[in-house]
Amino acid sequence: MPDGLTVDVVPVESIPAPPAALLPQGPQYSATETYSKHILGSSSFHMYYLYAKGWGGTVPYPWEVRPDLPGTTGSPYIVNLNEPMEVGVCVEFDRSPLTELLMCLGTDINIDFAFEGFGKLAIETDKDVTITTVKDRFRYLIRYVGTPQQLGLTPGYYELAATATIGPSAHACGRFIYGYGYIGEIRFQVYQGPLPLQP
């Protein structure tokens, strides 16, 4: 920058009026155009593939589903109290420039998995799982792996639903909640099996 040249940003009330000798010699014309509606656009997401499934696999002898076929696999929706199980949901965002910015900023995706029990023995509980978005990724699988016992579930019949909260961002300027959503429901049973599947 040449000596003596300065560039300042000052409040509008501090800008002095030009002296009479320097008044414009006629009308001046000005126009501006911004592209915020087209450059950033809207941002949206949808939820799909809510699931809950047990990882027990083969039912141990002599409790096979079909004794004449050893090693028969049990239902993934009937889960032993201490059997590893997985619950999850997919969240997919559109690919607008605004969404791309939110992904790049590191935006939290919080999923509240809600377990509603039916009957006097089954309980109600929730499990929160939060991940953070990354640059150029628009589809996410948010999941929890554990046992019904670790979730605090008791034997009984359950429905699973999930709610989503999108935001805030990790960046200091992104302290806002950008969206909410829900999906439901998946049904499964928890039971106390005759044999422990893990210590």
Side-chain angles (χ1 to χ4, degrees):
M1 183 177 293
D3 290 342
L5 179 62
T6 61
V7 177
D8 293 322
V9 178
V10 297
V12 65
E13 61 270 11
S14 300
I15 300 174
L22 297 178
L23 287 176
Q25 300 180 7
Q28 294 183 343
Y29 302 95
S30 175
T32 62
E33 183 171 292
T34 60
Y35 296 91
S36 61
K37 292 182 179 179
H38 304 288
I39 293 176
L40 292 179
S42 61
S43 181
S44 64
F45 72 98
H46 68 279
M47 304 170 68
Y48 65 99
Y49 188 44
L50 174 69
Y51 68 90
K53 60 183 179 181
W55 283 8
T58 302
V59 179
Y61 176 83
W63 292 283
E64 295 97 344
V65 177
R66 293 187 53 190
D68 58 320
L69 296 175
T72 301
T73 299
S75 169
Y77 306 114
I78 302 177
V79 187
N80 198 341
L81 196 60
N82 63 346
E83 173 184 339
M85 69 175 295
E86 178 180 344
V87 297
V89 67
C90 291
V91 175
E92 184 171 12
F93 294 85
D94 68 3
R95 293 175 178 260
S96 72
L98 176 57
T99 301
E100 187 171 348
L101 175 62
L102 294 175
M103 299 300 102
C104 187
L105 287 175
T107 299
D108 284 346
I109 303 175
N110 174 260
I111 301 296
D112 177 23
F113 293 105
F115 300 85
E116 182 177 0
F118 290 82
K120 63 181 181 179
L121 298 181
I123 68 165
E124 294 183 9
T125 189
D126 295 83
K127 180 64 180 180
D128 280 337
V129 180
T130 300
I131 66 169
T132 302
T133 63
V134 295
K135 185 178 184 294
D136 295 331
R137 183 178 298 173
F138 299 90
R139 184 182 300 157
Y140 298 87
L141 169 63
I142 300 93
R143 65 176 187 159
Y144 169 81
V145 177
T147 67
Q149 199 168 39
Q150 289 170 332
L151 286 168
L153 302 181
T154 53
Y157 178 67
Y158 291 89
E159 286 185 350
L160 170 67
T163 58
T165 303
I166 310 300
S169 298
H171 193 277
C173 297
R175 298 170 294 151
F176 307 100
I177 302 299
Y178 305 110
Y180 299 92
Y182 68 89
I183 187 172
E185 61 215 3
I186 294 294
R187 299 168 182 170
F188 65 97
Q189 181 183 3
V190 174
Y191 72 100
Q192 177 62 66
L195 288 179
L197 291 173
Q198 62 182 25

